[in-house]
Amino acid sequence: MHFSKLLLAALATPILAHPGEKHDPHVLKREIHARDAFAHMGKRALDSCSTSLGARHLNKKNVQRRAERVNALREKRGISTKSQHSRRTLAELQKWETVEHNKTNVVGYTPYMPEDIIFGANTSCILTPTITDGPYYAWGETIRQNVKEEKYSDGVDLYLEVQYIDINSCRPVEGAFVDIWQANATGVYSGISVSGNYAEDGYNSTYLRGIQRTNHDGLVNFDTIFPGHYSGRAIHTHLLTHLNATLLPNNTLQAGTGSVAQIGQLFWPEDLRSAVEATYPYNTNTQDIVSNDDDMWSIEQASAAYDPFPEYVYLGEKIEDGLFAWIQIGVNATADYTDNDYYSIAAYRGKNGGYANADSKAMGGGGGGGDDGGAGGAPSGSMSASGMPSSTGA
């Protein structure tokens, strides 16, 4: 089935997502068309500078850094067996994007494959589609690379590298603050206590959540686990990007500062998910499994121009040895999605702990408010009437 027909079919049916998350399918259809048009302009801008000396130099650094990172992780974990390299070919990717929308074939590489073939893949360096942050986004998370905690974080270790590129210049986006959050192996988000997601320790829990600031190469790295599944959604990892935000002494972001330049979700191939979920504690998860092709947001996130799947390698021969994954994300540094319907704060975390945002759009209200530290009201911003992000300067 052609992508556009599959998308329209999905929009014509009831949308299953997070509990509490509702979106008008007609509005979504309109925004998808606007987003795709904007992405096309962004891709043309990137194409004009992608062969520049600076862009080629950055790619060379990426290859070397990723190879060194994998070798260091293998050494740290005491892995001496051959690693399994897994990625997709461009032809298979294009076929998936335009026709199937349900799987990505994995190609095995030997340890003798040149590093630039394995680690040179820049998966999606175009304007990244912005989609919902879901009803479980919390404001006030702390700066940390390792988001795993002693409790509720068991699973297959995932070392995730995300690189942000400005579509207007092909230069890395330095100084952006990137939020990450996801479900644990049994399909539960921390920091939220509502019907369908009762986290242990409720709004005070913080496992598998954190923020990193991009360095001069536009990079953030998170030590996390492969996300678990839950009813209504395919497996995914949330990312949200703040520009020009102010960092407080307590290592949280100050409310009312900066812009929201990108909201997105990473998805994971079905064969990789199956391999992970055959292991403990994923295999104790009794919630219904939703495939990528049955997930509404994976259809919106993926397109003929954007691949929402990170490239990845096994650190060893078996999945329990862990994974290293990477993806490039193109952003428009002048965009601000703060006032877009997709941006919703479900909870805040301040000096007195976490608490629900009663005005959250995801919970049926209309906006955010808070009291202390990094847990204040939502930053301000604007969207044009067409649904395109307005240029606010960055």
Side-chain angles (χ1 to χ4, degrees), residues 50-362:
S50 60
T51 59
S52 67
L53 181 62
R56 294 199 305 271
H57 177 68
L58 181 64
N59 188 59
K60 184 177 180 179
K61 289 179 64 177
N62 289 341
V63 171
Q64 181 178 354
R65 182 192 61 257
R66 291 164 185 161
E68 291 175 350
R69 173 75 164 149
V70 167
N71 289 334
L73 288 170
R74 284 168 49 80
E75 182 177 352
K76 182 179 180 180
R77 298 170 69 89
I79 298 173
S80 58
T81 57
K82 296 177 181 179
S83 63
Q84 178 181 335
H85 303 283
S86 302
R87 56 162 293 187
R88 299 172 305 283
T89 67
L90 180 60
E92 288 164 343
L93 171 62
Q94 290 175 335
K95 178 181 179 181
W96 183 90
E97 287 173 332
T98 58
V99 179
E100 294 178 348
H101 281 275
N102 64 357
K103 68 177 182 177
T104 303
N105 294 327
V106 175
V107 180
Y109 283 79
T110 73
Y112 309 105
M113 185 70 68
E115 290 177 346
D116 61 334
I117 298 297
I118 301 170
F119 296 107
N122 296 322
T123 52
S124 305
C125 196
I126 66 158
L127 180 69
T128 302
T130 287
I131 62 175
T132 179
D133 65 2
Y136 299 152
Y137 172 61
W139 180 279
E141 303 298 342
T142 58
I143 303 292
R144 58 176 180 172
Q145 177 175 332
N146 186 354
V147 299
K148 295 178 292 183
E149 298 183 359
E150 184 177 354
K151 293 183 178 181
Y152 318 118
S153 299
D154 293 338
V156 172
D157 288 332
L158 172 64
Y159 302 92
L160 178 64
E161 174 193 286
V162 187
Q163 185 174 47
Y164 290 86
I165 304 295
D166 188 336
I167 64 165
N168 298 305
S169 65
C170 286
R171 294 182 179 274
V173 179
E174 183 177 1
F177 288 97
V178 180
D179 265 286
I180 190 172
W181 69 102
Q182 64 176 68
N184 70 0
T186 55
V188 180
Y189 284 83
S190 68
I192 300 293
S193 183
V194 295
S195 177
N197 191 95
Y198 291 110
E200 293 288 341
D201 301 325
Y203 291 96
N204 291 321
S205 57
T206 59
Y207 57 85
L208 305 180
R209 291 180 181 267
I211 300 176
Q212 278 283 285
R213 190 175 192 173
T214 59
N215 65 13
H216 62 282
D217 285 330
L219 290 167
V220 291
N221 284 277
F222 288 102
D223 298 353
T224 183
I225 64 168
F226 192 86
H229 76 267
Y230 54 92
S231 299
R233 289 299 316 277
I235 284 181
H236 59 282
T237 302
H238 290 274
L239 295 172
L240 188 148
T241 309
H242 311 266
L243 296 182
N244 300 318
T246 300
L247 181 64
L248 296 172
N250 65 353
N251 270 339
T252 66
L253 300 185
Q254 181 178 351
T257 63
S259 61
V260 176
Q262 187 266 346
I263 308 169
Q265 298 175 19
L266 305 181
F267 291 85
W268 301 91
E270 297 291 346
D271 52 355
L272 179 59
R273 176 190 63 77
S274 297
V276 170
E277 294 208 320
T279 68
Y280 179 84
Y282 299 91
N283 57 11
T284 68
N285 189 346
T286 60
Q287 299 190 66
D288 294 336
I289 295 175
V290 176
S291 64
N292 286 317
D293 60 327
D294 289 331
D295 183 276
M296 186 270 161
W297 293 116
S298 66
I299 294 174
E300 184 176 356
Q301 183 80 101
S303 73
Y306 177 71
D307 171 19
F309 293 97
E311 302 289 345
Y312 66 92
V313 297
Y314 282 50
L315 294 178
E317 288 185 325
K318 55 187 187 299
I319 194 68
E320 291 88 346
D321 291 329
L323 298 162
F324 173 71
W326 68 96
I327 191 168
Q328 267 189 347
I329 293 179
V331 297
N332 179 5
T334 65
D336 188 358
Y337 289 91
T338 305
D339 287 342
N340 186 271
D341 184 57
Y342 286 157
Y343 180 60
S344 178
I345 301 174
Y348 294 99
R349 204 172 324 282
K351 62 184 179 183
N352 296 320
Y355 56 94
N357 174 18
D359 294 329
S360 169
K361 287 176 284 188

